[in-house]
């Protein structure tokens, strides 16, 4: 991935409008309410939010004050938007690396299922849907099962796609999927944001559904997208998923009328008219109206087919497909086959299934046992214990029989009604032991596939699957990290559902292992809440298994999740328990990883010597295990900790040692930490070398698309510039770092940067600004449990007050020393 162009450089007015829309999302107000509370006119505010007009500065200030945000970071952007100037020529003294040319943009996401080639009738309903979208941008289609809600919504979405070219998305909300809970708004929003390729650092990890919904509306606000939200359970489930300001549209389907969505116009569907039903049956049966086919020659039998199908499009298509593929049948035979079942739907489905051979009928029944809704051929091969080629061929036959749908290439699903029929059939026909074996094969597949994908991402192998069953014969091949991330994204819901299914089935080996191989993906793309839930379940399963090594890893992983969620005391308790178990198990790599994690936690809690010793111990353990990359990783963090303690020469030496470790990975994980450490450490003595190291680190962070690491690099560049005495450039770099955090609304990450920024302000002759930043750090650090930064904030305030209030300065120094000296709460 190449470094992306900053939007503000390309179009500052558009970027300013995007930032103002974020403020609107934070306010929770509509345009009229926002205009009223800020004293602006609705029409002017609308132009400001859409970027058609650059607002006057007082309007920006009013919006910021309404949501208690400092407007000053927006001032440079507002000035560029108000007075656009050509970009200045770059010179040899430029400190920021030139942004590489952007790669070719990805084509817009299109998840829409294929438009029905035999779409019939629905002229009035289609016109009503398009009119509702034109007026309100959202429409709700309701009606009974099988009436064609999804078909109409998808058909309308294809009609709207040309006017909404930025994305065409489809999401099944599983409001009425037999045996499955409706999809909660949280995973639904994360799936939608992932479909838009929103970077993980811009997706809120805390704050619940409200912040996720605000992020989703903000992303849609500057796009023209069409979104189909299929199979909604109720208004509460779908309300957070609706677009806000902008031009994007949403089409919602549900078997219930969504009365709670008062602002959304409804379109209710009834069964097809007899004329349209007859036309659809003829088209599905391969006998267009006006031809002298079987339906025309047997009008009474054809009328009975329409009656048995209940004029429902899904049943009509299934019946027509059977007739088309059975040229030897009369329509009377079709009626006889359909009349054998207990209901119109079961009759239609059973009639289709009965035309299959034994293996395909068995596969069709077993598909209802899959934990997820959309699946691929690999998991189907594992489910049925057949070769991949056979699974692919059988799926194609089921697809032709309209028993399986294909929403995207290589992805399959069962319609809800078909799924219900298949589940009833497997319960009646397949022994419970066979169903249990099939489910375990699926769980084995997901554990082994996740392990294979995970192996492409972390720089330290986790040693493969330990206690789940054997790997299936066929697993996906992952060419690299990006391929693995794409697989995790596609299988995200299935993996979580598989975890729940393993819990319900008492499959403790799978409950214990599956979260471990999802950790790297979650660290990049998902929030801490779900990670904690997974590892809580994993720990409980490990206890039941009674394996000390598994139990030690489970405690270590739970501690990692607790630390990332800011639950420091609980993380420490989990690590202490893990340390005893891991040492007893004698797994050196796991012990090294746990030692690193304890070092991270100790540093954030305000300790200095103990984390240094832990990083050194981890380096030795990695060396004993024959893992030079792990040794380099531990050495890089020891160097970073030494740098923060003022030992620049030793930090530089260790950073160079880490960088000189032989490796083959172009995105070598220890490099970022080592390069930043080295760049800051030698800034005063070797400024040119320092710039080279920091430029390289910044390029790595931007190439990885990790905005937090990019902000870290920029902040450290500010520190290096300050040490060279180049205060104006240092301040600019700090501001750029904080602007990144403001864009992604990551307030808690500022604790890592506030004191450094404050020190630069003090030395640059801005004591009031320095005091403000250090006091902000002093307010934030105790709440987050960062005792080191709390002590540094006291020291920073003392340095500012030395000249004007020496007694107050002394009090802050004493308080800072007490923070590091006193034991932690509960220690």
């Amino acid at each position: 991935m190449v470094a992306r162009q900053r939007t503000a450089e390309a179009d500052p007015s558009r970027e300013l409008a995007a930032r103002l829309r974020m403020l609107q999302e934070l306010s929770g107000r509509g345009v009229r309410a926002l205009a009223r509370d800020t004293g602006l006119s609705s029409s002017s505010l609308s132009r400001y939010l859409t970027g058609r007009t650059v607002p006057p500065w007082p309007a920006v200030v009013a919006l910021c004050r309404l949501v208690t945000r400092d407007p000053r970071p927006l001032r440079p952007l507002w000035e560029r938007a108000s007075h656009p100037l050509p970009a200045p020529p770059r010179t040899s003294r430029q400190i920021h690396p030139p942004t590489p040319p952007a790669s070719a943009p990805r084509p817009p996401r299109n998840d829409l299922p294929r438009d029905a080639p035999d779409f019939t009738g629905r002229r009035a309903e289609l016109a009503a849907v398009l009119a509702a979208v034109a007026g309100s941008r959202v429409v709700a289609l309701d009606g009974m099962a099988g009436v064609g809600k999804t078909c109409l919504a998808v058909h309308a979405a294809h009609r709207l796609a040309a006017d909404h070219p930025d994305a065409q998305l489809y999401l099944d909300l599983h409001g009425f999927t037999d045996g499955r809970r409706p999809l909660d708004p949280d995973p639904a929003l994360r799936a939608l944001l992932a479909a838009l390729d929103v970077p993980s650092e811009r997706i809120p990890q805390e704050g619940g559904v409200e912040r996720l919904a605000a992020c989703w509306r903000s992303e849609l606000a500057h796009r023209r997208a069409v979104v189909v939200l299929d199979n909604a359970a109720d208004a509460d489930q779908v309300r957070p998923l609706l677009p806000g300001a902008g031009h994007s549209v949403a089409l919602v389907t549900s078997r219930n009328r969504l009365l709670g969505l008062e602002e959304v116009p409804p379109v209710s569907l009834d069964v097809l008219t007899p004329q349209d039903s007859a036309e659809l049956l003829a088209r599905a049966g391969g006998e267009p109206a006006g031809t002298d086919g079987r339906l025309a020659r047997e009008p009474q039998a054809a009328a009975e087919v329409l009656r048995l199908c209940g004029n429902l499009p899904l049943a009509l298509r299934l019946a027509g497909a059977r007739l088309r593929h059975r040229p030897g049948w009369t329509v009377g035979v079709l009626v006889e086959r359909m009349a054998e079942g207990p209901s119109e739907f079961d009759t239609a489905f059973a009639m289709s299934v009965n035309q299959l051979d034994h293996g395909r009928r068995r596969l069709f029944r077993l598909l209802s046992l899959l934990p997820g809704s959309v699946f691929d051929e690999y998991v189907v091969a594992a489910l049925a214990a057949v070769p991949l080629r056979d699974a692919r061929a059988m799926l194609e036959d089921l697809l032709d029989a309209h028993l399986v749908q294909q929403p995207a290439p290589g992805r399959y699903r069962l319609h809800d009604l078909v799924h219900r029929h298949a589940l009833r059939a497997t319960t009646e026909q397949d022994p419970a032991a066979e169903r249990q074996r099939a489910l375990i094969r699926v769980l084995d597949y997901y554990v082994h596939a996740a392990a294979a994908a995970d192996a492409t991402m972390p720089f330290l192998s986790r040693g493969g699957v330990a206690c789940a069953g054997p790997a299936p014969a066929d697993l996906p091949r992952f060419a690299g990290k990006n391929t693995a991330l794409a697989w995790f994204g596609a299988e995200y819901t299935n993996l979580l559902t598989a975890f729940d299914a393993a819990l319900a089935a008492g499959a403790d080996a799978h409950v214990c292992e599956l979260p471990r191989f999802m950790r790297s993906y979650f660290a990049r793309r998902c929030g801490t809440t779900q990670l904690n839930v997974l590892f809580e379940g994993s720990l409980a399963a490990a206890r039941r298994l009674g394996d000390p090594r598994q139990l030690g890893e489970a405690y270590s992983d739970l501690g990692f999740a607790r630390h990332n969620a800011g639950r420091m005391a609980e993380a420490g308790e989990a690590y202490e328990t893990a340390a005893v178990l891991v040492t007893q198990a004698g797994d050196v790599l796991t012990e090294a990883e746990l030692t690193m994690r304890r070092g991270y936690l100790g540093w954030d809690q305000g300790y200095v010597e103990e984390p240094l010793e832990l990083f050194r111990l981890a380096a030795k353990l990695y060396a004993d295990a024959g893992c030079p990359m792990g040794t380099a990783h531990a050495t890089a963090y020891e160097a970073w900790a030494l740098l923060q303690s003022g030992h620049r020469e030793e930090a530089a030496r260790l950073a160079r040692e880490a960088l000189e470790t032989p490796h083959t990975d172009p995105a070598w994980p220890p490099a970022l930490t080592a390069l930043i450490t080295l760049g800051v450490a030698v800034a005063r003595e070797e400024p040119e070398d320092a710039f080279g190291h920091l430029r390289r680190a910044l390029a790595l962070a931007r190439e990885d698309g990790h905005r937090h690491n990019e902000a870290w690099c920029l902040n450290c560049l500010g520190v290096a510039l300050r040490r060279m005495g180049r205060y104006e450039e240092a301040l600019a770099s700090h501001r750029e770092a904080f602007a990144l955090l403001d864009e992604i609304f990551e307030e808690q990450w500022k604790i890592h940067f506030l004191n450094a920024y404050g020190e630069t302000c003090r030395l640059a002759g801005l004591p009031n600004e320095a005091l403000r930043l250090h006091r902000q750090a002093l307010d934030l650090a105790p709440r987050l449990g960062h005792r080191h930064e709390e002590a540094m904030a006291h020291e920073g305030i003392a340095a500012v007050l030395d000249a004007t209030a020496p007694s107050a300065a002394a009090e802050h120094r004493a308080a800072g020393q007490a923070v590091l000296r006193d034991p932690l709460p509960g220690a």
Side-chain angles (χ1 to χ4, degrees), residues 383-504:
L383 170 75
V386 298
L388 181 65
R389 181 172 58 183
D390 292 353
R392 186 182 298 126
M394 288 192 285
L395 281 170
E396 289 299 319
D397 288 343
L398 293 177
L399 190 65
D400 291 341
H402 294 275
L403 291 169
V404 168
Q405 297 173 327
Q406 190 174 42
R411 307 291 291 179
Y412 303 87
R413 69 184 295 270
L414 295 179
H415 186 280
D416 289 354
L417 300 173
V418 179
H419 182 275
R420 183 180 303 165
H421 175 81
L423 185 60
R424 183 182 297 113
T426 192
T427 303
E428 294 173 352
Q429 301 176 39
D430 299 313
E434 168 58 17
R435 300 198 304 272
Q436 178 70 6
R437 286 192 294 269
L439 176 60
I440 294 300
R441 289 194 298 269
V442 170
L443 298 178
D444 285 339
Y445 164 78
Y446 277 122
V447 170
H448 284 278
D454 180 68
T456 69
M457 290 188 287
F459 69 93
L460 298 173
S461 172
R462 299 200 49 93
V465 178
C467 61
D474 298 290
L475 286 172
R477 295 173 182 258
F478 303 106
K481 178 183 72 175
N482 291 333
T483 306
L485 286 172
W487 182 84
F488 272 118
E491 297 289 342
Y492 172 77
T493 303
N494 291 345
L495 288 164
L496 294 184
T497 310
F499 179 81
D500 291 339
L503 276 174

Side-chain angles (χ1 to χ4, degrees), residues 618-696:
K620 180 181 182 302
L621 290 170
Y622 280 127
D624 292 344
C627 183
M629 203 171 288
T631 302
H633 180 61
T635 301
Y637 267 94
E638 181 188 353
W640 173 252
L642 284 169
L643 177 66
Q644 305 313 299
S645 304
H647 302 286
R648 290 198 297 273
E649 291 184 4
E650 181 65 7
R653 184 186 68 79
L654 289 176
R656 289 191 178 98
E657 181 181 318
L659 289 170
E660 290 168 359
T661 302
H663 62 89
T664 57
D665 186 353
W668 190 50
L672 187 70
T673 303
L675 286 168
I676 290 174
T677 301
L678 185 57
V680 174
V682 304
R684 188 171 293 137
E685 298 82 5
E686 305 169 31
E688 290 303 319
D689 287 346
F691 277 133
H693 299 317
L694 290 166
R695 284 192 188 106
R696 183 178 165 198

Side-chain angles (χ1 to χ4, degrees), residues 45 51 96 138 158 178 232 244 249 272 299 329 438 500 562 568 612 637 652 657 689 718 726 765 797 823:
L45 182 58
H96 298 301
V138 182
H158 280 282
D178 197 18
V249 301
L272 292 174
W329 279 11
D500 291 339
R562 295 291 196 247
M568 303 291 195
L612 284 170
Y637 267 94
E657 181 181 318
D689 287 346
R726 299 166 66 170
I797 293 172

Side-chain angles (χ1 to χ4, degrees), residues 473-806:
D474 298 290
L475 286 172
R477 295 173 182 258
F478 303 106
K481 178 183 72 175
N482 291 333
T483 306
L485 286 172
W487 182 84
F488 272 118
E491 297 289 342
Y492 172 77
T493 303
N494 291 345
L495 288 164
L496 294 184
T497 310
F499 179 81
D500 291 339
L503 276 174
D508 286 336
H510 305 84
V511 174
C512 185
E513 291 207 283
L514 185 58
R516 191 166 301 139
F517 300 117
M518 296 168 62
R519 194 194 72 202
S520 294
Y521 173 75
F522 268 74
R524 296 168 185 269
R525 294 288 188 270
C526 304
T528 59
T529 301
Q530 189 66 55
L531 194 62
N532 275 272
V533 171
L534 289 173
F535 282 131
E536 286 165 4
S538 181
L539 175 60
R543 285 173 176 154
R544 291 189 292 270
L545 290 172
D547 183 335
R549 188 182 73 82
Q550 294 282 350
L551 189 57
E553 287 195 31
Y555 270 111
S556 177
D557 285 338
L558 182 61
F560 171 82
R562 295 291 196 247
H563 186 185
N564 279 274
R567 297 157 68 173
M568 303 291 195
E570 294 175 69
E573 292 172 1
Y575 286 159
E576 289 298 325
T577 305
V580 176
L581 293 164
V582 169
T583 302
Q584 291 175 352
D587 187 328
V588 181
L589 274 178
T590 301
E591 185 178 358
E593 181 180 52
L594 174 60
T595 303
M596 287 293 296
R597 290 174 170 180
R598 294 176 68 192
Y600 306 147
L601 178 64
W603 184 264
D604 284 345
Q605 288 177 318
Y607 295 114
V608 176
E609 293 302 325
E610 182 182 351
L612 284 170
E613 290 302 318
L614 288 169
F615 292 143
R616 290 165 186 153
L617 175 58
K620 180 181 182 302
L621 290 170
Y622 280 127
D624 292 344
C627 183
M629 203 171 288
T631 302
H633 180 61
T635 301
Y637 267 94
E638 181 188 353
W640 173 252
L642 284 169
L643 177 66
Q644 305 313 299
S645 304
H647 302 286
R648 290 198 297 273
E649 291 184 4
E650 181 65 7
R653 184 186 68 79
L654 289 176
R656 289 191 178 98
E657 181 181 318
L659 289 170
E660 290 168 359
T661 302
H663 62 89
T664 57
D665 186 353
W668 190 50
L672 187 70
T673 303
L675 286 168
I676 290 174
T677 301
L678 185 57
V680 174
V682 304
R684 188 171 293 137
E685 298 82 5
E686 305 169 31
E688 290 303 319
D689 287 346
F691 277 133
H693 299 317
L694 290 166
R695 284 192 188 106
R696 183 178 165 198
L698 187 59
L700 285 175
R702 285 175 171 164
E703 185 178 2
D704 193 41
H706 199 307
R707 306 293 288 279
H708 299 82
N709 282 345
E710 184 181 351
W712 183 29
C713 292
L714 288 166
N715 190 68
C716 291
L717 181 59
V719 173
L721 287 164
R722 177 227 297 162
R723 291 184 174 176
M724 299 174 197
R726 299 166 66 170
Y727 297 128
E728 289 303 319
E729 294 167 279
L731 290 170
S733 193
H734 284 303
R735 290 176 187 132
E736 189 174 354
F738 275 76
L740 277 175
L741 297 181
D742 284 335
E743 287 177 9
I744 56 179
F745 297 104
E746 288 281 20
E747 292 294 317
Q748 71 278 8
W749 255 74
K750 292 181 179 179
I751 190 58
H752 300 288
F753 306 152
L754 283 164
N755 286 314
Y757 190 5
E759 177 70 2
T760 301
C761 288
R762 182 181 70 85
L763 294 174
L766 302 171
N768 291 336
E769 182 67 6
L771 274 178
R772 184 187 68 81
L773 292 166
H774 288 309
R775 284 171 176 157
Q776 187 178 346
L778 190 58
D779 175 67
L780 190 60
R783 289 191 278 117
L784 296 176
H786 284 265
R787 292 166 63 83
H788 177 78
E789 295 296 339
E790 183 180 354
M792 293 299 294
H794 279 296
E795 179 60 32
I797 293 172
V800 176
L801 296 178
D802 273 336
T804 58

